[in-house]
Amino acid sequence: MELAEKKCSAYKPGSPPITRKDTVELLKEVPGWSLENGHLTRTFTFEKSDQSIAFLNDVLTMSTEEGHIPDLAMREGRYVEVGYYSYPAGGLTLNDFIMAAKINERRVNE
């Protein structure tokens, strides 16, 4: 099953993050995303601020539905940085990659 088709699962307290090996393998499945200080991140660029705001709202809606909220930042009205990290796990989990794949799929299908 493709990552974008999966659903995020509720975090179980005490569950560890995924391994470095799994992280490297999953990173191949989310083009455009990179690891930055242990976080899964990607910056999206838009022509106008209203496009950035619409994208932010879309990401927040998807993330709320899945129960996995990202770190978000908008700069200069054109650049939106999305970052995923499972803070309770102290690292990345499958949920982080599922959300990255969902965002990638949504961007391709716009």
Side-chain angles (χ1 to χ4, degrees), residues 53-67:
I53 292 167
F55 175 71
L56 280 168
N57 286 331
D58 190 38
V59 169
L60 284 171
T61 298
M62 281 192 305
S63 298
T64 300
E65 289 169 357
E66 290 288 332

Side-chain angles (χ1 to χ4, degrees), residues 13-109:
S15 296
I18 59 176
T19 65
R20 177 76 177 156
K21 179 183 176 193
D22 288 340
T23 298
V24 170
E25 288 302 312
L26 287 167
L27 192 58
K28 295 174 187 173
E29 296 186 43
V30 287
W33 292 78
S34 61
L35 295 176
E36 193 170 307
N37 296 321
H39 295 237
L40 183 63
T41 64
R42 182 170 179 186
T43 300
F44 297 87
T45 304
F46 300 90
E47 290 183 25
K48 298 178 182 178
S49 61
D50 60 332
Q51 294 169 318
S52 297
I53 292 167
F55 175 71
L56 280 168
N57 286 331
D58 190 38
V59 169
L60 284 171
T61 298
M62 281 192 305
S63 298
T64 300
E65 289 169 357
E66 290 288 332
H68 198 65
I69 308 299
D71 293 323
L72 295 167
M74 186 169 86
R75 293 182 180 80
E76 299 178 35
R78 297 184 49 212
Y79 305 101
V80 177
E81 182 178 311
V82 181
Y84 281 99
Y85 183 86
S86 295
Y87 290 96
L92 296 173
T93 63
L94 182 59
N95 286 347
D96 300 307
F97 289 92
I98 290 171
M99 291 309 302
K102 287 180 181 295
I103 292 169
N104 278 1
E105 183 176 73
R106 183 76 55 98
R107 291 288 297 153
V108 167
N109 294 326

